[in-house]
Amino acid sequence: GLIEFSLGKFRYFKLNKPFPEEAVLRHISSNATFLIFQIHSQYQNTTVSFSKTPLPSTSGTGSDIGLVFILRPEQSMCTWHLEAADAEPVQNMAIPLSYSEGDPVPGGCNLEFDLDIDPNIYMEYNFFETSIKFAPANLGYARGTDPPPCDVGMGQDSRWRLRYDVYQYFLPENDLTEQVLLKHLQRMVEVPQVKANAVKVVTLTANDKTSIYFSSLRAQGVIYNVIVWDPLLNTSAAYVPVHTYACTFKAMEGNCSSLGRVSTKVFFTLFALLGLFICFFGHRFWKTELFFIGFIFMGFFFYILITRLTPIKYDIRLILTAIAGSIGGIFLVGTWWRFGTLVFCMLCVGLVLGFLISSMMFFTPLGNLKIFRDDVVFWVTFSCIAVIIPVVFMGCLRILNILTCGIVGSYSVVLAIDSYLYTSLSYMTLNVLKRALNMDFRRAFTNVPFQTTDFIILAVWGMLAVSGITLQIRRERGQPFFPPHPYKVWKRERERRVTNILDPSYHIPPLRERLYGRLAQIKEFFQGEQSAGERTPLLL
């Protein structure tokens, strides 16, 4: 029932609920003024307490939890009590860290959470965003002295001079194993390793709210940590890191192991097959491409509308979106067939390409600029970029059409891959959709990992796009730019058949007579045969 720890050393152990353990740390240096003991597991909760009987003000429970122990003068040993909060055994990793009197105390000015000094980061997530919150820190102080007051004065001699650097670290894609998580968590515990391995997202001052929002990345492991820095003494300390997969391991359906619903896979697989055909043959099969473009236009806006206005389940929404998209595609094809408005059709085609290019631009760090957190600025800028594309290519419509076929058609393959295998490239358009669906998403940082899988899929996307564009440009060389107006061609052919007596179609009976003849044949098929023999008298 006793687990020995050493300062700065990680230790793995397993906890069972019926058998709580006691953790002990000996030989603490006299230079240390406070300790942070932290314990981590993948998704099961563990309780850490100063006493055998956990109390809200002296204990914490979670999968990433820690306690601060303020050392008394001459104290060289500390003890904690550990207990599994769930019925199943929990695999844990723990480490105690020591800090000196010049280091700021993480969570030392806590007024929101239960612990008096709370070094923990509290995390919540939903489909759209992941939020992290933490308590403000306090200045460091020597053993046996009172802590500096938290809310007396706002000068350089108070805790208001502290700065908070928020760091983000991505786990390997498509890897949900416990061993990998605990291994990478070791890189996010101490200040030098956090700075060396993670990416700093933002720096907060003491006047800012201690809460940050990120885009949720389902089934992608992410570790967050905060380093509090004292610019006057140039000292720093790390909070207890927290991790998330933006999904749950305990759910029977829709857990982290199941990437995407069946309806999503069917929808995007069929969409990718059509997109792949458009990528290589879209300009030749003009009406099929118009159906594809109309499907994207109507399906995108209809999904936003039905999601924001109704509480319909996701699978039904996807079916209705497919139906609405098909109606939009048929409408665009019908508009071209009847009116032959090439400019209108190419405007739709160019706007789809412009939407994708604008999404690419905001997928870069440009999208995290503070100015674009204003919805008006974001949507005006986004729309202007999308509109510029068809305007620039208005003088060479065939090139615009072929580029759209190759780029947009091949990107549909990326979306289909994402429903089977996680890839960050899908968030290129998904982030725009999230922003249109949720007003609060504007405050979220949209950082995503870009690892080996993403480079491979990006190469596949590029090869498909280049191959499709090259093939269509070579095949359409010397051909008419666009097919003729379908309604005029049909009308001219009909008039020719009516007036040309040598045309075999001239001698074809009208449609009504042909239908009556076909019905008569069917009627005779069901009539019984007449019996043989003579039934009328012979006439001389």
Side-chain angles (χ1 to χ4, degrees):
L2 187 65
I3 304 177
E4 290 268 0
F5 283 91
S6 300
L7 275 175
K9 301 292 184 181
F10 291 94
R11 175 150 186 183
Y12 289 81
F13 56 94
K14 186 171 290 188
L15 287 177
N16 293 289
K17 188 173 181 59
F19 307 103
E21 302 278 354
E22 183 177 1
V24 61
L25 175 65
R26 308 178 192 274
H27 310 297
I28 301 174
S29 172
S30 59
N31 294 328
T33 57
F34 69 94
L35 304 176
I36 296 181
F37 178 83
Q38 54 186 277
I39 186 168
H40 303 275
S41 63
Q42 188 174 29
Y43 63 91
Q44 295 170 287
N45 291 332
T46 304
T47 299
V48 185
S49 176
F50 289 122
S51 58
K52 289 185 177 181
T53 304
L55 298 174
S57 60
T58 60
S59 65
T61 301
S63 57
D64 301 288
I65 199 71
L67 296 177
V68 170
F69 199 100
I70 303 298
L71 298 173
R72 300 185 301 272
E74 307 301 328
Q75 183 178 0
S76 61
M77 185 181 74
C78 289
T79 58
W80 293 269
H81 297 271
L82 312 176
E83 182 181 351
D86 298 332
E88 299 178 359
V90 184
Q91 178 65 41
N92 294 103
M93 178 189 72
I95 181 175
L97 299 173
S98 65
Y99 292 92
S100 63
E101 61 180 278
D103 298 325
V105 182
C109 287
N110 173 43
L111 296 175
E112 183 177 357
F113 308 108
D114 293 331
L115 292 170
D116 294 333
I117 302 176
D118 197 337
N120 298 291
I121 300 173
Y122 294 88
M123 182 201 63
E124 294 179 355
Y125 70 87
N126 54 34
F127 173 78
F128 297 99
E129 61 183 10
T130 298
S131 65
I132 62 172
K133 298 180 180 180
F134 56 94
N138 198 359
L139 298 177
Y141 51 96
R143 288 198 191 190
T145 60
D146 294 330
C150 290
D151 295 320
V152 177
M154 299 180 64
Q156 288 298 309
D157 57 344
S158 67
R159 62 103 177 175
W160 295 94
R161 73 182 188 225
L162 299 178
R163 300 290 183 267
Y164 303 89
D165 295 331
V166 181
Y167 285 83
Q168 186 180 37
Y169 180 87
F170 293 107
L171 296 176
E173 293 177 345
N174 303 302
D175 196 329
L176 305 176
T177 58
E178 185 179 59
Q179 294 80 4
V180 169
L181 168 66
L182 298 180
K183 174 185 176 183
H184 286 270
L185 268 171
Q186 298 181 19
R187 303 179 181 178
M188 291 293 290
V189 171
E190 300 181 81
V191 173
Q193 294 183 339
V194 173
K195 292 182 177 180
N197 295 287
V199 175
K200 184 168 71 172
V201 179
V202 66
T203 298
L204 303 177
T205 65
N207 296 318
D208 297 322
K209 291 184 178 180
T210 55
S211 58
I212 307 295
Y213 299 87
F214 299 88
S215 173
S216 291
L217 308 175
R218 188 180 183 276
Q220 168 59 48
V222 189
I223 303 174
Y224 301 101
N225 205 348
V226 177
I227 292 179
V228 54
W229 172 55
D230 187 340
L232 185 63
L233 303 179
N234 196 25
T235 56
S236 57
Y239 282 70
V240 177
V242 63
H243 75 278
T244 179
Y245 295 91
C247 57
T248 177
F249 285 87
K250 298 179 180 180
M252 298 299 295
E253 295 182 1
N255 54 33
C256 293
S257 301
S258 58
L259 256 180
R261 300 170 181 258
V262 175
S263 57
T264 304
K265 295 179 180 179
V266 172
F267 179 88
F268 283 105
T269 300
L270 296 177
F271 183 69
L273 292 176
L274 178 59
L276 201 58
F277 178 83
I278 297 300
C279 177
F280 291 96
F281 308 102
H283 190 72
R284 175 67 60 89
F285 295 89
W286 170 241
K287 295 177 185 176
T288 306
E289 183 201 344
L290 289 181
F291 176 84
F292 181 71
I293 297 298
F295 184 93
I296 295 175
F297 245 102
M298 183 63 73
F300 182 79
F301 289 107
F302 181 81
Y303 184 83
I304 295 174
L305 185 67
I306 197 174
T307 302
R308 297 194 65 166
L309 299 181
T310 64
I312 300 176
K313 292 183 178 180
Y314 173 78
D315 293 338
I316 300 177
R317 266 184 286 153
L318 206 59
I319 294 173
L320 295 177
T321 301
I323 296 173
S326 301
I327 294 174
I330 294 172
F331 172 78
L332 190 58
V333 173
T335 302
W336 160 252
W337 190 91
R338 179 61 183 84
F339 301 104
T341 51
L342 180 62
V343 175
F344 172 75
C345 294
M346 286 308 302
L347 178 63
C348 295
V349 171
L351 286 177
V352 171
L353 179 61
F355 171 84
L356 185 57
I357 292 178
S358 186
S359 300
M360 291 181 191
M361 295 186 65
F362 283 97
F363 185 67
T364 63
L366 176 70
N368 286 325
L369 294 180
K370 193 173 183 179
I371 188 175
F372 292 119
R373 294 188 181 180
D374 186 284
D375 279 336
V376 175
V377 176
F378 174 82
W379 288 116
V380 169
T381 307
F382 187 92
S383 302
C384 289
I385 296 174
V387 171
I388 285 175
I389 301 301
V391 172
V392 169
F393 286 93
M394 196 54 68
C396 43
L397 295 180
R398 183 166 70 172
I399 297 298
L400 172 62
N401 191 54
I402 293 176
L403 288 176
T404 304
C405 291
I407 298 174
V408 179
S410 56
Y411 182 72
S412 65
V413 178
V414 176
L415 295 177
I417 293 174
D418 182 68
S419 61
Y420 295 93
L421 186 71
Y422 175 87
T423 172
S424 299
L425 294 176
S426 64
Y427 286 94
M428 189 180 300
T429 52
L430 185 57
N431 284 339
V432 179
L433 180 62
K434 283 184 176 182
R435 182 139 191 182
L437 292 176
N438 191 293
M439 295 292 293
D440 294 332
F441 190 75
R442 61 188 176 186
R443 62 191 179 184
F445 289 93
T446 56
N447 301 330
V448 294
F450 216 78
Q451 301 177 10
T452 305
T453 304
D454 302 303
F455 284 109
I456 294 174
I457 296 176
L458 181 63
V460 172
W461 179 21
M463 287 189 294
L464 287 175
V466 171
S467 301
I469 293 171
T470 305
L471 178 64
Q472 293 195 67
I473 290 177
R474 292 178 62 88
R475 187 176 57 239
E476 298 301 323
R477 188 177 300 166
Q479 300 293 327
F481 280 14
F482 289 93
H485 185 185
Y487 179 72
K488 290 183 178 179
V489 173
W490 174 81
K491 192 174 182 180
R492 186 168 57 247
E493 288 295 322
R494 187 183 64 174
E495 293 174 354
R496 183 183 62 80
R497 288 195 299 268
V498 170
T499 57
N500 187 4
I501 194 171
L502 299 179
D503 191 342
S505 61
Y506 179 85
H507 304 282
I508 298 176
L511 177 62
R512 181 180 297 177
E513 295 183 10
R514 282 182 284 164
L515 290 176
Y516 283 149
R518 184 66 64 183
L519 291 174
Q521 292 179 3
I522 296 174
K523 186 176 180 181
E524 291 177 0
F525 178 78
F526 289 101
Q527 288 180 349
E529 296 182 0
Q530 297 184 0
S531 59
E534 188 175 339
R535 290 179 176 271
T536 57
L538 296 175
L539 299 178
L540 296 177

